[in-house]
Amino acid sequence: MANIRKALSMATCVLTVAAVTAGCGSTNGNNIDSVSNAPSPSGNTASTDQPTKKNMTLTVMASQDQIMDAEVELAKTFEANTGIKIDYQIVPSDQFTSLIGAKLNSGEGPDVIVTQGGKLTLKSTLDPEKNLEDLSGEGWVSTLKKPFNEGVSYNGKVYGLPLWDLGGTSSWVLVYNKKIFSEQGLMPPKTYDELLDVSAKLSENGITPIYEAGSDGWHHQLPLLEMGPRVEELSGGLYDKLNANETLLADSPEMLKLVEQVAALVEKGYYGKEHFSNTYADAYNAMSSGKFAMIFDRSNFGNELLANKPDSAYKAEDFGAVVMPFLDNQTLNVNPQGPSKFVYKNGKHVAEAKQFLAYLAEPSNMQTYLDQTSRFSELPFEGVTPKKNAVLEEIKAGSNGQEGAVLQAGVSYIDPQWMDIGKDLTAVFSGKLEPADLLKNIDKRRSQQATAQKDPAWSK
């Protein structure tokens, strides 16, 4: 099949893919596992009692980086079984929120919406009771593990299918090239000062310490939000106080120090000269070149690199990882919410959309999806066998053994402004905005969202 990674990574237009074909071919920011050499799933039938095949198309709208090749392969089999085509419409990350909002407001939503779940954000982003089909009665709901059901639930009803690795594998960590570190006589950093020391030595020897994809708009703010557990540890109860509108991020010295530490990496040149134009889609090429030593990514990065660059001089086991050491962090950041599939209740094909989700959620199909997606090690469902993740085990063994929810999962009105935070951080990097002003902007947007949602904590 055509290279889905290239076909789906379009940064300037909505890309339509009827099950497996695409109309644009540039690469920018999309990271979809290639399964072109993997066998197509067989023996799986759609969850339907329909006696005849239908001739229709379901639209599935998603942001970049949220549709895996393994799902596209399953969609092909679903079409063969039912006659229902799946039209994947991939939207650039920085345009998705506004576009899906406009479609829902106009009453013209896609049949299936793929977007970030979250118990604190579902109401503000999708307004489930108005726009989404209640999926509580679907058979797969009983196999959805806790607490991952919370990210797709509202007022006691389940509205989404989180077909995503929501365990520790999905945690964003500091991945490092073991060979480069060994050649340079370096140890992976456990504190921020150690990160600076390692970066200084790498730079002195002509190696860019960290590959950062600044042009995509969603990646470079990861340290700020993923380090929420460490800020919570240091401040004690910050999440609860923020949700109760009893404090501000701008009042947190730990958050200010975190922003300053991230900005210092840029100021010292440790992201390299091209970080503003680097794309996430080029991360595998960059890390295979030997010119970069580290990247903020997931524990499965080595496997993903090998799957996308089988001719790389590096092997999967050449990449290790540690927790991000900002603020001397040693706690693993976890996110119990992630990209999930929701059915638009006012669409013309609600029954067929539910049928497609039920098909994807069949245990054998979820196992196929997991086995053919190098990025994932587990899915949040009973009956799906997880894969071994040696790097994640190393991360946990080398940290304090504790886990904590990331900022966007623990604090309301953070996740919906992800891209805005990225723009502000870019302005900090370029010297146009002070770190303290970035935090003030986040607080201002939180207040605006809370007021719009008539949050009682903001109407005291």
Side-chain angles (χ1 to χ4, degrees), residues 7 196 247 262 308 350 383 397 448:
L196 294 182
T247 190
V262 176
N308 286 275
V350 173
Q448 291 172 339

Side-chain angles (χ1 to χ4, degrees), residues 250 256 424 428 432-443:
L256 179 60
D424 285 344
V428 171
K432 297 178 181 179
L433 193 70
E434 293 297 321
D437 292 327
L438 177 148
L439 297 177
K440 291 177 182 178
N441 286 349
I442 297 176
D443 287 328

Side-chain angles (χ1 to χ4, degrees), residues 140 144 148 152 160-166 338-341 379-381:
W140 51 264
L144 180 54
F148 307 116
V152 291
L161 172 70
L163 199 63
W164 203 261
D165 188 332
L166 302 179
S340 304
K341 301 183 189 327
L379 293 177
F381 290 89

Side-chain angles (χ1 to χ4, degrees), residues 37 190 227 325:
N37 294 322
K190 288 192 173 184
M227 287 297 92

Side-chain angles (χ1 to χ4, degrees), residues 267-336:
E267 183 180 348
K268 295 177 180 295
Y270 295 156
Y271 281 1
K273 297 179 180 179
E274 308 298 329
H275 71 96
F276 283 113
S277 59
N278 288 342
T279 66
Y280 188 63
D282 200 42
Y284 304 126
N285 289 328
M287 295 302 291
S288 290
S289 69
K291 297 178 180 178
F292 298 86
M294 295 177 284
I295 184 173
F296 298 118
D297 214 287
R298 291 167 289 259
S299 58
N300 264 342
F301 181 81
N303 291 328
E304 293 183 58
L305 183 144
L306 191 63
N308 286 275
K309 286 191 66 64
D311 59 342
S312 173
Y314 296 107
K315 300 177 181 178
E317 55 267 30
D318 290 330
F319 294 91
V322 294
V323 294
M324 293 186 195
F326 296 100
L327 301 176
D328 297 344
N329 172 61
Q330 281 300 291
T331 295
L332 180 63
N333 44 298
V334 295
N335 191 348

Side-chain angles (χ1 to χ4, degrees), residues 42-55:
S42 59
N44 299 318
T45 57
S47 301
T48 176
D49 294 326
Q50 300 291 337
T52 59
K53 292 185 178 180
K54 298 182 179 181
N55 183 17

Side-chain angles (χ1 to χ4, degrees), residues 102-119:
K103 284 186 171 293
L104 292 178
N105 288 335
S106 67
E108 298 179 352
D111 296 306
V112 176
I113 302 166
V114 184
T115 190
Q116 193 81 1
K119 65 179 182 179

